[in-house]
Amino acid sequence: MTRPPPSTPPVATREISGLPTVGDGSGLSPDNRYYPEEIQLALRNRGLPLEALRYPVTPAGLHYLLVHFDIPAVETGRWQLTVGGQVARPLQLSLADIKARRAVTVPVTMECAGNGRARLSPRSLSQPWLCEAVSTAQWTGTPLRGVLEEAGIVEGAEEIVFTGEDWGVQGGEVQPYQRSLTVTEALRDDVLLVYAMNGEPLPAQHGYPLRLLVPGWYGMTSVKWLTAIEVSAEPFDGFQMVKSYRDSLDAEDPGLPISLIRPKSLVIPPGIPDFVTRVRILSPGPVTLQGRAWVGRADIATVEVSLDGGTLWRDAELEAPMHGPAWRGWTYRWEAKPGRYTLCVRATDTTGETQPFGQRWNYQGMGNNMVQRVEVMVVP
Amino acid sequence: MTRPPPSTPPVATREISGLPTVGDGSGLSPDNRYYPEEIQLALRNRGLPLEALRYPVTPAGLHYLLVHFDIPAVETGRWQLTVGGQVARPLQLSLADIKARRAVTVPVTMECAGNGRARLSPRSLSQPWLCEAVSTAQWTGTPLRGVLEEAGIVEGAEEIVFTGEDWGVQGGEVQPYQRSLTVTEALRDDVLLVYAMNGEPLPAQHGYPLRLLVPGWYGMTSVKWLTAIEVSAEPFDGFQMVKSYRDSLDAEDPGLPISLIRPKSLVIPPGIPDFVTRVRILSPGPVTLQGRAWVGRADIATVEVSLDGGTLWRDAELEAPMHGPAWRGWTYRWEAKPGRYTLCVRATDTTGETQPFGQRWNYQGMGNNMVQRVEVMVVP
């Protein structure tokens, strides 16, 4: 029968032979097999579909999401933010109180500390991110500093503990999700209490009604469903500080805490995908490769592209930066000729740190910024 | 140090011993291991986090999502809907033209045909859903029938072919995503061309600017990024009709096409989760188990709950139905005593069809409505 006239085919409508099959790796780690519990986590958390890197500001419904325990059902009427501990004037703030304060809106790139975990071998059994746990939103909120100054931090206080309304069990311990910051870090101008994402109230899954936002840090620090801020005279010894989010060698090694985002970059996979393997199919001719690069508190200095799996590298062109601690767009012109390619991209920041090509292994699979690999077939 | 005063702990703050570990199954299929390509698909598609079953209408950012190829970047200015083929008056409609037509808004429960695939053994290598590919949205659009009547279907026409703007390769074949309906099915009153989801323009990932919506059918029929409707004198032989979405025995067996949603039900996992295994921890006492049940074109007749992994079943209480072809809420009062439980729930529809307890295997892993299992520990 006559097929309907669709939009122009991006690749001539035809049979493609020689496609990779599942299990041969397709640029992934072919020797890895994953547990049902990891699949279960991957299905409820969600990465940024890589083609959505096209949006400088990620639509809220596409923003990556890691929900540590469950998305809590926060009753707005009952909700309040408690500010207590080592302060002169304990506070209880409603959402209206917080919205009445000075508001700022800023684009911030957030990345999960476990991004890249599933590419490590051997790997920690947790959310099995490959590379897609990164996004950028326009966040609106009020500086935490103003609230802390109003409460009046008592001299000698050391840390600020942030508690979410999400409860669960980890390492056998019943706990609400809790993280701390040093007083110095918490008083930075850019640390916010945010109540809006891309101009709308926070979606339930992103922390409604209020979350912490710590630009430059991996996402675990930006506590969602924030309900209590406590100023403490001692370092906080909660599970998510001393047992989790550590760069360690084994289960016994305390290692070092994970904090700022390491330099990283991704390319939008060009052409069209094979459904199951996600290998890309492309017609010969000029192609503008596009992607984004980001780092915690430095700037991106260079982005390089390799078409041969990491042997030859060429500079990409950086786009103008966004007005905030957000990712940087880049482009690279490629004259694609028939053949098979492994696209790689690597970023270097202004401190000189470059993404590693191979894995820099650690026990919990934290902060893995090894370079992405995208398998491409250019078919005449 | 003193911990901040969080909201009331749902379970006494303590150590929990005897938790299952990854790989022992935790109610999943312990003998299954998954490929990196399956993890990659699970990370870009996304299920409904089961606690979000609490919302009768799923927020758009939590709605399950299966993107067959890539989310296309549809240029709104250029976009139009073409209606052609065996019609008296071919049409080219802008989005404004479609919005100017009679509008209806209706809650519709949609489920992916592959939901439950990853619980089959052996399983087809595709998106590895366990049970979470279902959601309900309020969809707004105009009846397809009105558009088809305006175009004037020529006598003898047999099928209507729907083409999306998403391109990819599947089974080695370059193709846009295309599905067909018989003329009779396409002329049903409830088949819509929809442009809004929960009162907002369709998000990019749900088909912006326009998608088909066929209530009662599995989601593959509700073509996203719709760009062409072609009336055909012959049955459509596209890949997604004759090769995929079939209930078949092996790669050679054409089998039968998948169409209407089979009866199914889910329970909101009670208590709080263990982070990695998602096993649930609960304190003793009264618990109201809650969940939802749905079926394609019949009604839900009964929902039953088992606390012992499927031996004893008790009737749950059905909530009032929603005004549309949407899921039905149910509740069940449970006096939880210390111990381990495997919660199961099964729905029976008004035709007498009940969810099977074991797998009803088919080669592509389609329409698997076997009962959910949730492992629970009630700790004193």
Side-chain angles (χ1 to χ4, degrees), chain B residues 19-304:
Chain B
L19 282 165
T21 53
V22 170
D24 76 350
S26 307
L28 304 173
S29 306
D31 54 336
N32 277 355
R33 293 294 181 275
Y34 296 84
Y35 288 93
E37 288 87 347
E38 293 175 284
I39 283 275
Q40 184 173 238
L41 286 173
L43 289 164
R44 58 174 275 113
N45 296 307
R46 63 273 306 264
L48 181 72
L50 296 183
E51 65 273 29
L53 285 164
R54 76 168 72 106
Y55 306 110
V57 173
T58 312
L62 285 172
H63 198 288
Y64 94 85
L65 183 69
L66 188 288
V67 174
H68 211 88
F69 298 127
D70 280 359
I71 300 167
V74 178
E75 294 163 38
T76 319
R78 183 185 62 73
W79 181 89
Q80 61 178 14
L81 177 67
T82 304
V83 184
Q86 303 293 306
V87 295
R89 296 166 293 276
L91 304 174
Q92 294 200 327
L93 302 173
S94 70
L95 188 56
D97 293 336
I98 292 164
K99 287 185 173 175
R101 304 182 73 91
R102 180 168 73 89
V104 295
T105 296
V106 65
V108 176
T109 296
M110 199 184 295
E111 182 181 10
C112 185
N115 200 12
R117 173 182 292 125
R119 295 182 64 201
L120 297 179
S121 182
R123 72 184 183 283
S124 167
L125 298 178
S126 181
Q127 166 68 25
W129 298 121
L130 291 165
C131 68
E132 55 292 283
V134 62
S135 299
T136 297
Q138 289 277 6
W139 300 96
T140 300
T142 193
L144 171 64
R145 178 178 184 152
V147 171
L148 291 176
E149 286 175 349
E150 186 175 322
I153 297 178
V154 168
E155 174 128 357
E158 197 162 326
E159 291 204 348
I160 318 280
V161 183
F162 301 89
T163 301
E165 291 216 26
D166 46 331
W167 284 82
V169 178
Q170 195 170 1
E173 189 181 326
V174 174
Q175 57 189 288
Y177 187 82
Q178 292 182 303
R179 288 277 307 181
S180 67
L181 288 174
T182 62
V183 168
T184 307
E185 194 71 13
L187 289 176
R188 280 176 59 97
D189 285 339
D190 60 353
V191 176
L192 301 177
L193 299 173
V194 301
Y195 44 78
M197 183 182 187
N198 297 350
E200 300 286 337
L202 291 184
Q205 68 271 27
H206 288 290
Y208 180 87
L210 192 75
R211 73 179 298 174
L212 184 64
L213 183 73
V214 188
W217 284 62
Y218 285 111
M220 75 285 177
T221 302
S222 294
V223 176
K224 294 194 281 280
W225 311 292
L226 186 64
T227 183
I229 296 175
E230 174 129 334
V231 180
S232 166
E234 297 159 51
F236 176 58
D237 64 353
F239 184 92
Q240 307 297 341
M241 296 302 295
V242 302
K243 301 264 185 71
S244 190
Y245 298 109
R246 311 291 294 193
D247 187 338
S248 57
L249 294 173
D250 57 42
E252 309 308 319
D253 175 24
L256 291 169
I258 294 289
S259 58
L260 297 181
I261 297 174
R262 292 173 175 155
K264 202 162 181 174
S265 55
L266 289 172
V267 60
I268 299 176
I272 61 173
D274 176 63
F275 173 57
V276 175
T277 64
R278 305 292 304 169
V279 166
R280 311 300 297 195
I281 318 298
L282 206 58
S283 290
V287 184
T288 300
L289 297 175
Q290 294 181 282
R292 308 218 176 252
W294 64 95
V295 61
R297 263 182 203 160
D299 286 319
I300 292 295
T302 59
V303 170
E304 297 162 284

Side-chain angles (χ1 to χ4, degrees), chain A residues 170-296:
Chain A
Q170 196 170 2
E173 189 181 325
V174 174
Q175 57 189 285
Y177 187 81
Q178 293 181 303
R179 289 276 307 180
S180 67
L181 287 173
T182 63
V183 169
T184 308
E185 195 70 14
L187 289 175
R188 282 175 58 98
D189 286 338
D190 60 353
V191 177
L192 301 177
L193 299 174
V194 301
Y195 45 79
M197 182 182 189
N198 296 352
E200 300 287 336
L202 291 184
Q205 68 272 26
H206 288 290
Y208 180 85
L210 192 76
R211 73 179 298 174
L212 183 65
L213 183 73
V214 188
W217 284 63
Y218 284 112
M220 75 285 176
T221 302
S222 294
V223 176
K224 295 194 281 278
W225 311 292
L226 187 65
T227 182
I229 296 175
E230 174 129 335
V231 179
S232 166
E234 298 159 49
F236 176 59
D237 63 354
F239 183 93
Q240 307 297 341
M241 296 302 296
V242 301
K243 301 265 185 70
S244 189
Y245 298 109
R246 310 291 296 192
D247 188 338
S248 57
L249 295 173
D250 56 43
E252 309 308 319
D253 175 23
L256 291 169
I258 294 290
S259 58
L260 298 180
I261 297 173
R262 292 173 174 157
K264 202 161 181 174
S265 54
L266 289 173
V267 59
I268 299 175
I272 61 174
D274 177 61
F275 173 58
V276 176
T277 63
R278 306 294 303 171
V279 166
R280 311 300 298 195
I281 317 299
L282 204 60
S283 290
V287 184
T288 301
L289 297 175
Q290 293 182 283
R292 308 217 176 253
W294 64 96
V295 61

